[in-house]
């Protein structure tokens, strides 16, 4: 019995020593991982990149120059219009009939245009407010950057509705203006949408970047319709070209993903509170997240056709835990979709710049151009980000079609069905002709 007691005592001592060694090893590894994380974060800050929500907070901007603050002041009117817009399109026969005409590439009937015009008369102050906001020189996001991750997700979605509603309001105005042959004013209204979209790029994260692209698309499509509807003053065309030049920024995705990285790092914090004795898991995940972005971001300075390897390739490196590989892998589809959306956005902007040049040439010379070489646009402004070659032009009975070969990099002759190709076309064009 005494011998058994001595054996158990030795085993207990040995187990205590082993546990002590494991605790020391865990503490040492956690300290080492924590030190590594601080070094990585310090390197990002030294490069001027944000690493926390607080670092995303913008500098204060005077109200008269702050588009974000002015849009926030317009929120009640935007909400009222949103309700009336929904009521017209979803609950009235005129609105439902107009939506069907739109699906067929047709404009409104006089009665439908008059109904929409009546709605717009209720919001003259909203129009002047949006005009003023679009001409602001700054944008200081209204998000509260002092909150933690769960609250931040709620904060990110708050401004989305206002800018979307503003774009819908201005789009309705374009439709009514074109029904009244007020082409120049329709182009100016479309430019307001573009400027508001450019301001909204001051909001962080991928979700808001996608909202920017959606809003800009509304402006691009509205201006496309206007340019094809009739003569545009030659004084207005260079203003439009200059705005499109400012909109053409393929590198906006770098800013978008750098702010998305902050959101991802914030999501890691406190994720493993139940495993408090293993702090290196959380810190290791943050390091792996930083390394994932370090591998990915340099590829984004290239065009889509140069950076098409799957995002999984950037996650193909040793991780500090299996959890890192799984969680980072879950991000890949959203990030790939973001890259595709930005490339499509760039192709859209460049296509509109070409449409502006084509219609200007035809208006000035009395005959259509023979091709891109006739338009005197910078070569970089005509490149399809999906192929690296010039965007495609095609003359049809409806007018010129300008398009990207899109993801399959194959020219389908301007077939927009199922997005085989994609771009800008005249009203009534639905596919290859």
């Amino acid at each position: 019995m005494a011998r058994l007691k001595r054996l158990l005592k030795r085993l207990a001592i040995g187990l205590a020593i082993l546990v002590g060694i494991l605790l020391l090893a865990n503490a040492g590894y956690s300290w080492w991982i924590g030190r590594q994380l601080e070094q990585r974060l310090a390197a990002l800050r030294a490069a001027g990149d944000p690493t926390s929500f607080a670092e995303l907070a913008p500098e204060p901007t005077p109200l008269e120059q702050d588009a974000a603050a002015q849009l926030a002041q317009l929120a009640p009117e935007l909400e009222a219009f949103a309700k009336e817009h929904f009521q017209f399109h979803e609950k009235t026969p005129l609105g439902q009939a107009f939506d069907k005409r739109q699906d067929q590439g047709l404009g409104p009937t006089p009665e439908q245009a008059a109904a929409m015009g009546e709605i717009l008369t209720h919001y003259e102050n909203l129009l002047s407010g949006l005009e003023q906001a679009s001409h602001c020189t700054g944008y200081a996001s209204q998000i509260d950057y002092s909150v933690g991750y769960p609250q931040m997700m709620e904060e990110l979605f708050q401004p989305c509705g206002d800018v979307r509603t503003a774009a819908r309001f201005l789009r309705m105005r374009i439709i009514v203006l074109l029904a009244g042959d007020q082409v120049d004013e329709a182009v100016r209204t479309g430019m307001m949408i573009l400027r508001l979209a450019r301001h909204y790029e001051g909001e962080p994260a991928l979700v808001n970047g996608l909202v920017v692209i959606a809003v800009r698309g509304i402006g691009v499509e509205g201006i496309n319709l206007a340019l094809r509807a009739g003569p545009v003053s030659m004084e207005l065309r260079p203003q439009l070209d200059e705005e499109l030049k400012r909109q053409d920024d393929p590198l906006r995705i770098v800013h978008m993903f750098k702010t998305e990285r902050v959101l991802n790092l914030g999501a890691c914090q406190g994720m493993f509170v139940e495993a408090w004795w293993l702090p290196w898991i959380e810190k290791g995940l943050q390091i792996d997240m930083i390394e994932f972005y370090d591998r990915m971001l340099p590829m984004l300075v290239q065009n889509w056709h140069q950076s098409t390897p799957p995002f999984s390739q950037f996650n193909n490196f040793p991780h500090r835990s299996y959890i890192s590989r799984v969680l980072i892998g879950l991000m890949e589809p959203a990030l790939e979709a973001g890259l595709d959306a930005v490339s499509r956005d760039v192709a859209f902007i460049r296509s509109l710049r070409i449409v502006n040049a084509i219609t200007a040439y035809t208006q000035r010379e009395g005959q259509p151009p023979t091709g891109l070489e006739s338009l005197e646009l910078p070569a970089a402004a005509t490149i399809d980000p999906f192929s690296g070659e010039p965007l495609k032009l095609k003359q049809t009975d409806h007018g010129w079609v300008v398009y990207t070969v899109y993801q399959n990099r194959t020219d389908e002759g301007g077939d927009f069905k199922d997005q085989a190709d994609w771009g800008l076309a005249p009203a009534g064009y639905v596919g290859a002709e």
Side-chain angles (χ1 to χ4, degrees), residues 305-334:
H305 71 282
Q306 297 170 308
S307 57
T308 50
F311 274 41
S312 58
Q313 121 175 350
F314 306 119
N315 196 27
N316 188 23
F317 60 92
H319 294 74
R320 285 153 184 83
S321 72
Y322 176 74
I323 293 174
S324 290
R325 176 175 292 279
V326 172
L327 293 180
I328 294 175
L330 292 174
M331 294 163 36
E332 293 165 9

Side-chain angles (χ1 to χ4, degrees), residues 180-233:
D181 296 326
Q182 300 182 62
V183 178
D184 276 14
E185 193 58 31
V187 172
R188 292 190 184 94
T189 303
M191 291 172 64
M192 285 174 58
I193 300 176
L194 296 184
R195 290 194 297 269
L196 289 173
R198 179 158 46 83
H199 282 314
Y200 196 76
E201 290 177 351
E203 298 290 351
L206 179 60
V207 60
N208 282 312
L210 296 177
V211 170
V212 169
I213 291 170
V215 168
R216 186 182 288 114
I218 292 173
V220 167
E221 291 177 339
I223 296 173
N224 175 60
L225 291 176
L227 291 176
R228 299 172 186 273
V232 176
S233 66

Side-chain angles (χ1 to χ4, degrees), residues 359-371:
T359 53
Y361 182 99
T362 304
Q363 183 176 325
R364 183 179 62 249
E365 303 295 333
Q367 60 183 2
T370 56

Side-chain angles (χ1 to χ4, degrees), residues 346-356 391 402-403 423-424:
V346 170
F348 234 34
I349 294 166
R350 293 176 180 174
S351 295
L352 184 60
R353 199 171 177 189
I354 292 172
V355 170
N356 185 37
L391 287 156
V402 185
Y403 62 95
L424 295 174

